[in-house]
Amino acid sequence: MSRSIADVPTRSARSRSGGDTGAIETRRSAFSLGQVAAAVPGALRKLNPAAQWRNPVMFIVWVGAALTTAIAIAEPFLGGPEPSGGTTVPVGFTAGIAVWLWSTVFFANVAESVAEGRGKAQAQALRTTRTTTIARRVISYDERGDAAARSVATEDVASADLALGDVVIVETGELIPGDGDVVNGIATVDESAITGESAPVVRESGGDRSAVTGGTRVLSDRIVVRITSKPGETFVDRMIALVEGAARQRTPNEIALNILLASLSIVFVVVVLALNPIASYSASPVSIPVLVALLVCLIPTTIGALLSAIGIAGMDRLVQRNVLAMSGRAVEAAGDVTTLLLDKTGTITYGNRHAADFVPMAGVEREALARAASLSSLSDPTPEGTSVVELAAALQGIVADLPRDAVAVPFTAQTRMSGVDLPDGTRVRKGAAGSVLAWLDVDAAAPVSAETRAELRREADAIAQAGGTPLAVAIMGPQSDGVLLGVIHLKDVVKDGLRERFDELRSMGIRTVMITGDNPLTAAAIAKEAGVDDFLAEATPEDKLALIRKEQGGGRLVAMTGDGTNDAPALAQADVGVAMNTGTSAAKEAGNMVDLDSDPTKLIDIVRIGKQLLITRGALTTFSLANDIAKYFAIIPAMFMGVFPGLATLNVMQLSSPASAVTSAIVFNALVIVVLIPLALRGVRYRAASAASILSRNLVVYGLGGVVAPFVGIKLIDLVVSLLPGF
């Protein structure tokens, strides 16, 4: 069974085919009692002022709690609590305020600890993959190939002693001792310890599937690996640091919001300090505990308490989808992306072309073309070859068998053809139109006529304009009488549901660009069928880099995926560069995210998660600031209407007493953090819409809700508090 490193998500059955992967079923809730219990020790440790000062808002609450506690301890020796605002304060009022102030700080710590706890559990699972193994290090590797690698001298060393650049040999059943690139050989590798995927993967030298990870196991064959990481700096080490939050730094947006919250807090500190001189002028000074409670209720404690948890949870949601973000900045950038660069093969299309039709030349029976095409493909193990055999059986009922002495002719980059030579001297070839014509011109007794060449060109162009790939089929008899039979229409199949997803991205204001090495005609047809906004055909690494720079020059943020060394410059240049785990080490080093599943379509989900993070932070900030406005109208009238009777008209909640008003507000201020922790961890539900629409919705739901909730909550708490003696 497939599982992520977090062992949380159960993927949709359509996730691999480009369907909607946005809906992911989780096996555990965002906020459970078990998680809270596990988070309590960490939350208590965070009460240390050295941990609190990094969060200015909560540090002010911590200082207020400490001051109020000191006053509560001193009160019995000073003759009880002093009156406040001209009213009597109940016994135990100061101690109660202190308890709820400490609760406010504690609940904020719980939110952060729960978010961090998920990462620590994931990190613990990853640590089990880090085992010291014995590696066979090549004493002197000279790049002479596999035969040389088998015969060179080796020495046994502990994996922890391997250095950057060392070359090791790994055979069937052995663990790969460290991160590296395959420099020789091919093997199937079990990466389930890292990715959670039970299916083995192929790793080979000389391509974009050469990177291997330490701790994974070779299941078959043998590979030579060059180590590309230092001890303690392996991919698993980096994963552990990331999911634990140890490597998480505050993002620019988060820093800016912290500065704003700190500024608002300072403003309210000044305002609250100015209240006592005003009250003293009326011979009704306000006590310090009441002023502290008022300050804590008015500063943006709700978002201050949840801000860190929101950021950690955003990265955690990526981890649940087997994506590692190297920084919180990358997650935020994903939320602001306006241009998405998507490879055609494997992302927009399935990656394997399938035979869609047989197009015979004039005077050629379709059955003859299908039979020849099937014969030429029987020994072709590729998905394209298999699809030709299947199409011939489906359309013409042809089930061909190769004679025992037939000789298969494999495809090569030089000939650009494949086929079969039959025992009677008959030869069948299929391949690129130009290559097949050149073969006939050289070997056939008579050249292909100009009319046939023109017909072939017309059919091939028509297939290319429809987004397909034409393969010409020809047969040559024992007497070198060559005949061009027709064309096989190979089609790149666009993944189901992608057009709808691209429409969704367009509604977010995101422009999609398909990148392909195909010719412009084929690229245009695929782009139209898939519904992307633009395409870049016959793309080279330099073309990708130039396109990214052009988009960024226009003020847009760009995201792209890649897996090869030639993608590294573009991945490094992109604002969000998602490297495939199957790719090269260079690609993984250049990107700021790594997809452990190597599913290029996941880039769309990454953008959704980034936007959800930004929307969640904005929504809870709106709710917090709206809360402060409501609490202001709840507390100030109740506190000072004895001194200024005109304020009684603003006491719309009819709170029972000033002491009850202050107590109810501070209790609500603490409890609302607990209520919002699940939302901070799970994230506000994201729907594709324009920025203006999302802003309007947040103002209505979280702005208006933030104003109404305190009025309702404080009034209900007041009804309970008023039943206590002295209130």
Side-chain angles (χ1 to χ4, degrees):
M1 181 178 67
S2 171
R3 58 181 178 84
S4 75
I5 60 174
D7 196 21
V8 173
T10 302
R11 292 177 178 79
S12 163
R14 292 188 294 161
S15 65
R16 296 294 186 192
S17 61
D20 182 12
T21 56
I24 295 191
E25 178 186 350
T26 58
R27 297 195 187 108
R28 63 182 179 184
S29 64
F31 190 52
S32 66
L33 292 178
Q35 289 175 296
V36 174
V40 166
L44 292 174
R45 286 192 295 270
K46 289 177 183 291
L47 291 175
N48 187 328
Q52 291 296 318
W53 73 269
R54 300 188 192 90
N55 187 333
V57 176
M58 298 315 299
F59 184 67
I60 291 174
V61 180
W62 187 95
V63 171
L67 179 60
T68 307
T69 301
I71 295 173
I73 294 172
E75 276 181 352
F77 305 98
L78 300 176
E82 296 182 1
S84 178
T87 60
T88 303
V89 177
V91 176
F93 171 80
T94 304
I97 293 298
V99 168
W100 282 104
L101 289 176
W102 284 118
S103 298
T104 303
V105 179
F106 175 72
F107 293 153
N109 293 345
V110 167
E112 186 172 0
S113 294
V114 169
E116 291 175 348
R118 294 181 178 189
K120 290 176 181 177
Q122 296 157 10
Q124 188 58 40
L126 288 171
R127 280 195 176 93
T128 62
T129 69
R130 294 196 309 179
T131 56
T132 299
T133 59
I134 300 301
R136 283 191 294 151
R137 181 168 60 187
V138 177
I139 295 175
S140 178
Y141 185 70
D142 60 6
E143 309 284 354
R144 288 181 300 167
D146 188 59
R150 289 179 184 273
S151 60
V152 296
T154 62
E155 59 181 350
D156 291 343
V157 298
S159 58
D161 295 332
L162 290 173
L164 183 69
D166 281 350
V167 175
V168 297
I169 297 175
V170 190
E171 298 196 3
T172 302
E174 296 178 348
L175 288 175
I176 296 172
D179 294 356
D181 287 329
V182 179
V183 294
N184 197 288
I186 181 172
T188 54
V189 179
D190 177 11
E191 294 187 341
S192 59
I194 305 298
T195 66
E197 298 290 343
S198 58
V201 296
V202 176
R203 294 290 178 264
E204 59 185 330
S205 61
D208 292 340
R209 298 183 298 174
S210 61
V212 291
T213 305
T216 57
R217 186 179 299 275
V218 173
L219 297 180
S220 67
D221 302 299
R222 172 184 180 281
I223 50 177
V224 181
V225 177
R226 174 172 284 110
I227 301 300
T228 57
S229 63
K230 299 177 181 178
E233 298 180 7
T234 65
F235 186 58
V236 173
D237 290 320
R238 292 167 62 192
M239 288 170 64
I240 291 172
L242 287 166
V243 298
E244 277 188 324
R248 181 183 178 272
Q249 298 178 348
R250 296 184 187 274
T251 64
N253 285 348
E254 200 171 340
I255 293 172
L257 184 54
N258 264 311
I259 293 173
L260 172 63
L261 298 181
S263 302
L264 289 174
S265 299
I266 292 171
V267 169
F268 280 116
V269 167
V270 174
V271 169
V272 170
L273 290 176
L275 287 177
N276 210 30
I278 296 173
S280 298
Y281 180 77
S282 303
S284 302
V286 181
S287 67
I288 291 177
V290 171
L291 288 176
V292 171
L294 176 62
L295 173 63
V296 170
C297 287
L298 295 185
I299 63 176
T301 51
T302 305
I303 185 61
L306 299 174
L307 186 58
S308 180
I310 293 170
I312 295 172
M315 294 185 70
D316 180 65
R317 281 193 290 276
L318 278 178
V319 172
Q320 290 178 21
R321 287 154 177 82
N322 269 7
V323 177
L324 291 181
M326 300 306 176
S327 68
R329 184 193 297 263
V331 185
E332 282 193 352
D336 288 328
V337 159
T338 54
T339 303
L340 231 59
L341 305 186
L342 301 160
D343 276 334
K344 184 203 76 172
T345 304
T347 304
I348 292 176
T349 66
Y350 285 104
N352 296 322
R353 297 171 300 176
H354 292 80
D357 197 9
F358 297 117
V359 183
M361 296 290 101
V364 177
E365 295 290 336
R366 194 182 192 201
E367 182 180 352
L369 170 60
R371 183 174 299 279
S374 181
L375 275 172
S376 67
S377 302
L378 285 173
S379 57
D380 183 354
T382 65
E384 291 90 342
T386 302
S387 70
V388 171
V389 175
E390 292 174 349
L391 183 66
L395 294 183
Q396 303 295 141
I398 296 172
V399 181
D401 287 321
L402 279 180
R404 177 175 300 179
D405 296 330
V407 178
V409 179
F411 176 87
T412 67
Q414 290 74 29
T415 64
R416 300 181 66 194
M417 295 186 302
S418 62
V420 63
D421 291 343
L422 301 178
D424 64 358
T426 300
R427 291 177 287 170
V428 185
R429 297 290 186 271
K430 74 172 191 296
S435 299
V436 172
L437 285 174
W439 175 68
L440 289 173
D441 288 340
V442 172
D443 291 356
V448 179
S449 67
E451 292 80 5
T452 302
R453 291 175 183 272
E455 184 183 2
L456 174 63
R457 190 179 304 111
R458 286 195 302 272
E459 297 295 349
D461 288 347
I463 291 172
Q465 290 174 4
T469 301
L471 287 183
V473 179
I475 188 169
M476 193 177 300
Q479 306 302 320
S480 297
D481 48 343
V483 178
L484 183 64
L485 298 176
V487 181
I488 303 171
H489 180 176
L490 291 181
K491 183 178 180 181
D492 267 334
V493 181
V494 174
K495 293 182 177 180
D496 297 333
L498 274 189
R499 174 175 284 276
E500 291 75 15
R501 301 193 76 184
F502 290 147
D503 289 341
E504 182 181 329
L505 290 171
R506 198 171 295 110
S507 68
M508 304 179 201
I510 297 175
R511 178 170 168 263
T512 52
V513 180
M514 182 185 78
I515 299 177
T516 178
D518 288 339
N519 63 71
L521 286 177
T522 301
I526 294 292
K528 182 178 180 181
E529 183 179 355
V532 296
D533 298 306
D534 202 354
F535 65 89
L536 178 65
E538 298 176 342
T540 64
E542 293 77 16
D543 293 334
K544 296 178 185 180
L545 190 59
L547 176 60
I548 292 173
R549 288 174 173 168
K550 178 182 176 182
E551 293 289 323
Q552 292 172 331
R556 292 177 283 273
L557 268 68
V558 181
M560 75 160 288
T561 61
D563 57 4
T565 300
N566 62 349
D567 290 324
L571 287 171
Q573 181 68 35
D575 300 283
V576 179
V578 184
M580 302 293 102
N581 190 43
T582 57
T584 62
S585 297
K588 289 195 283 188
E589 289 293 333
N592 50 24
M593 291 188 185
V594 177
D595 177 17
L596 301 179
D597 293 331
S598 300
D599 177 10
T601 60
K602 204 178 289 183
L603 181 58
I604 299 173
D605 296 314
I606 292 171
V607 171
R608 292 174 62 93
I609 292 170
K611 286 191 174 295
Q612 186 184 36
L613 169 64
L614 296 179
I615 291 170
T616 300
R617 185 182 295 159
L620 292 184
T621 300
T622 302
F623 185 88
S624 179
L625 297 179
N627 255 259
D628 297 336
I629 296 173
K631 285 181 286 188
Y632 177 87
F633 283 100
I635 298 173
I636 296 296
M639 284 179 57
F640 294 103
M641 63 185 180
V643 180
F644 305 105
L647 291 176
T649 56
L650 296 178
N651 187 20
V652 294
M653 286 189 285
Q654 297 298 305
L655 301 178
S656 59
S657 69
S660 176
V662 173
T663 303
S664 301
I666 203 71
V667 171
F668 174 84
N669 194 67
L671 294 181
V672 75
I673 295 173
V674 178
V675 172
L676 292 177
I677 289 176
L679 183 61
L681 298 179
R682 184 178 60 249
V684 174
R685 185 175 179 182
Y686 174 68
R687 297 182 181 88
S690 64
S693 174
I694 292 173
L695 177 61
S696 300
R697 177 177 174 271
N698 281 352
L699 288 176
V700 171
V701 176
Y702 297 98
L704 184 59
V707 172
V708 172
F711 281 94
V712 176
I714 292 174
K715 180 60 179 178
L716 292 175
I717 295 171
D718 175 72
L719 294 175
V720 176
V721 171
S722 62
L723 300 176
L724 300 176
F727 285 91

